[in-house]
Amino acid sequence: MAIISTKGAYGLTAIVILAKEENNKLLQIKDIAAKGDIPQNYLEQILVLLKKSGLVESVRGANGGYKLSRDTNSITVYEVLNSLECCLAQTENKSNDNMLQPFWEDTQEKIKDVFSLSVKELEEFLEKDSKNITYHI
């Protein structure tokens, strides 16, 4: 089954933070880490993987930083998680019997479907959900 590690959760958080930047403005690692409450050293490793996957770009220098490499409508949650998690939708048939193979294949497809929403759709969901939160003292 799919289990999302902190790497996946932090990576998705970083992507959402970058997605919220107007005009795809560059953000430095320290700013992403602060906004997402992510350990900076760990975030550096995650951003390297996201860059290798073509999901983010980096610019060097004093005014450098990271930004999304594509539009938020074209990046899926599955892509982000799959680039950070080993074998996100891999399910193994641990028995010698192939009787359960159709079940494992169906499970893989369902995992992909669950995470198929775009980063834009995830942003909209989070924004809608945050409006429903009320605080009581």
Side-chain angles (χ1 to χ4, degrees):
M1 287 307 286
I3 298 174
I4 307 303
S5 69
T6 54
K7 185 189 296 183
Y10 285 156
L12 190 55
T13 299
I15 290 288
V16 170
I17 290 167
L18 291 171
K20 290 181 181 228
E21 281 305 301
E22 291 189 27
N23 301 321
N24 210 14
K25 186 181 114 183
L26 293 170
L27 277 180
Q28 293 184 347
I29 290 177
K30 66 178 182 176
D31 297 324
I32 300 168
K35 288 181 180 186
D37 197 23
I38 305 168
Q40 190 170 327
N41 292 338
Y42 196 25
L43 180 59
E44 289 173 8
Q45 297 169 27
I46 292 168
L47 288 170
V48 166
L49 294 172
L50 292 172
K51 185 177 176 183
K52 282 182 182 177
S53 298
L55 299 172
V56 300
E57 298 175 3
S58 66
V59 175
R60 291 180 166 265
N63 295 321
Y66 284 85
K67 66 178 184 171
L68 295 180
S69 61
R70 300 192 328 242
D71 183 75
T72 57
N73 284 313
S74 69
I75 299 173
T76 65
V77 171
Y78 180 80
E79 261 186 297
V80 175
L81 294 176
N82 199 47
S83 70
L84 298 170
E85 304 286 347
C86 175
C87 314
L88 179 64
Q90 288 297 109
T91 51
E92 295 180 30
N93 183 358
K94 300 223 182 224
S95 69
N96 294 331
D97 185 348
N98 285 333
M99 183 174 27
L100 294 175
Q101 191 59 34
F103 170 75
W104 296 125
E105 289 171 3
D106 186 56
T107 301
Q108 286 177 317
E109 288 306 311
K110 287 178 179 172
I111 290 168
K112 287 180 184 177
D113 287 345
V114 166
F115 295 125
S116 68
L117 72 157
S118 71
V119 171
K120 179 69 173 173
E121 292 169 321
L122 177 59
E123 273 186 286
E124 291 167 355
F125 170 80
L126 295 172
E127 187 175 301
K128 179 182 80 173
D129 193 54
S130 70
K131 289 179 182 175
N132 295 330
I133 296 175
T134 56
Y135 296 95
H136 299 280
I137 299 177

